[in-house]
């Protein structure tokens, strides 16, 4: 969980990402709202993170692990 109701999952390829996207599409509740976005390791690494007004370094991408 990156923040409340925002989740991320690291995958090794676009094809692997599509597999997870297909699984999610099958279990979305009738009245649910889900948004999926695919970003690269570089884009994730360029993210700016702030705690209050203090800027912190973004986490390093995991080695094929699940992010919560």
């Amino acid at each position: 969980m990156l923040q409340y109701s925002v989740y991320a999952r690291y995958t090794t390829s676009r094809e692997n990402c599509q597999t997870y996207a297909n699984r999610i599409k099958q279990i979305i509740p009738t009245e649910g709202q889900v948004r999926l976005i695919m970003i690269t390791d570089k884009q994730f690494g360029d993210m700016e993170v702030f705690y209050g007004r203090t800027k912190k370094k973004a986490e390093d991408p995991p080695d094929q692990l699940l992010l919560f």
Side-chain angles (χ1 to χ4, degrees):
M1 187 164 94
L2 292 178
Q3 68 183 46
Y4 182 71
S5 294
V6 177
Y7 297 86
R9 181 175 192 104
Y10 181 82
T11 61
T12 56
S13 67
R14 187 168 187 83
E15 293 78 19
N16 191 262
C17 185
Q18 193 59 52
T19 298
Y20 286 105
N22 291 338
R23 289 181 190 170
I24 291 168
K25 290 174 190 175
Q26 292 176 4
I27 61 171
I28 297 173
T30 305
E31 299 297 319
Q33 184 184 97
V34 175
R35 296 174 190 212
L36 302 173
I37 185 170
M38 293 178 239
I39 62 171
T40 65
D41 286 341
K42 171 127 178 59
Q43 290 169 326
F44 185 85
D46 288 343
M47 180 174 28
E48 292 187 51
V49 180
F50 294 88
Y51 290 94
R53 293 181 184 242
T54 305
K55 186 174 179 178
K56 302 266 182 159
K57 182 184 176 297
E59 302 87 352
D60 292 328
D63 294 325
Q64 300 180 13
L65 295 176
L66 180 64
L67 289 177
F68 285 103

